[in-house]
């Protein structure tokens, strides 16, 4: 009788016992072990960027808007350094940063961030008009209404 093969590569380390309320440890060769992604592939590797983006997105969906905003700000800085200010992915990540700020109740910061993104988008040759229109609409939505005299 043969023993079934594991779904992931076996590690040379013996398994440690996990506390009852914690998750069991993952093998070091598992693709799901996210802390090793940036360490092995680098912060700006496309796979790492996608993982970081999904992490920030799901934090925002779970209601942790402040942490999501911080992660989107880091992502936007990395996109800015690698792809440029007018790149569509950079602008979309900057929008998500602003959306997280607005959801956290910091609308004035969100409007300020979108203003900077729009200024950068207008300078670059690669900025699509629909992206800048999208950013302008979001900025108008989050701007305070003018007061009537």
């Amino acid at each position: 009788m043969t023993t079934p093969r594991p779904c992931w590569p076996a590690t040379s380390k013996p398994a440690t016992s996990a506390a009852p309320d914690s998750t069991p440890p993952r093998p070091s060769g598992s693709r799901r072990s996210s802390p090793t992604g940036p360490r092995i592939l680098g912060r700006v590797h496309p796979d790492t960027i996608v993982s970081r983006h999904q992490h920030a997105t799901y934090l925002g969906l779970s209601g942790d808007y402040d942490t999501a905003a911080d992660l989107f700000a880091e992502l936007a800085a990395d996109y800015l350094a690698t792809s440029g200010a007018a790149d569509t992915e950079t602008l979309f990540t900057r929008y998500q940063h602003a959306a997280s700020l607005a959801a956290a109740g910091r609308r004035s910061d969100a409007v300020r961030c979108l203003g900077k993104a729009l200024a950068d988008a207008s300078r670059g040759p690669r900025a699509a008009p629909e992206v800048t229109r999208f950013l302008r609409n979001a900025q108008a939505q989050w701007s305070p209404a003018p007061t009537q005299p």
Side-chain angles (χ1 to χ4, degrees):
M1 185 164 150
T2 61
T3 58
R5 293 179 56 196
C7 296
W8 55 82
T11 62
S12 59
K13 296 179 183 178
T16 59
S17 62
D21 59 337
S22 69
T23 58
R26 295 193 191 275
S28 62
S30 173
R31 288 186 55 93
R32 291 184 178 177
S33 55
S34 60
T36 60
R39 190 174 57 220
I40 293 173
L41 299 175
R43 282 181 64 86
V44 293
H45 186 277
D47 290 344
T48 307
I49 292 272
V50 168
S51 296
R52 292 171 57 205
H53 200 274
Q54 288 175 340
H55 182 216
T57 300
Y58 285 113
L59 278 173
L61 289 173
S62 72
D64 191 358
Y65 303 119
D66 290 320
T67 306
D70 293 342
L71 293 177
F72 279 127
E74 292 173 10
L75 273 169
D78 288 342
Y79 271 125
L80 191 64
T82 58
S83 302
D87 182 63
T88 304
E89 288 297 324
T90 304
L91 293 172
F92 182 66
T93 304
R94 291 174 82 176
Y95 161 76
Q96 288 182 305
H97 173 228
S100 296
L101 288 172
R106 298 164 49 192
R107 287 181 174 235
S108 60
D109 291 339
V111 170
R112 182 181 45 80
C113 288
L114 285 177
K116 289 180 181 179
L118 280 166
D120 289 345
S122 65
R123 280 186 240 139
R126 293 175 21 191
E130 60 270 9
V131 174
T132 55
R133 188 170 37 250
F134 180 75
L135 292 174
R136 277 193 206 98
N137 288 341
Q139 187 180 31
Q141 177 185 0
W142 295 327
S143 294
T147 58
Q148 297 292 330

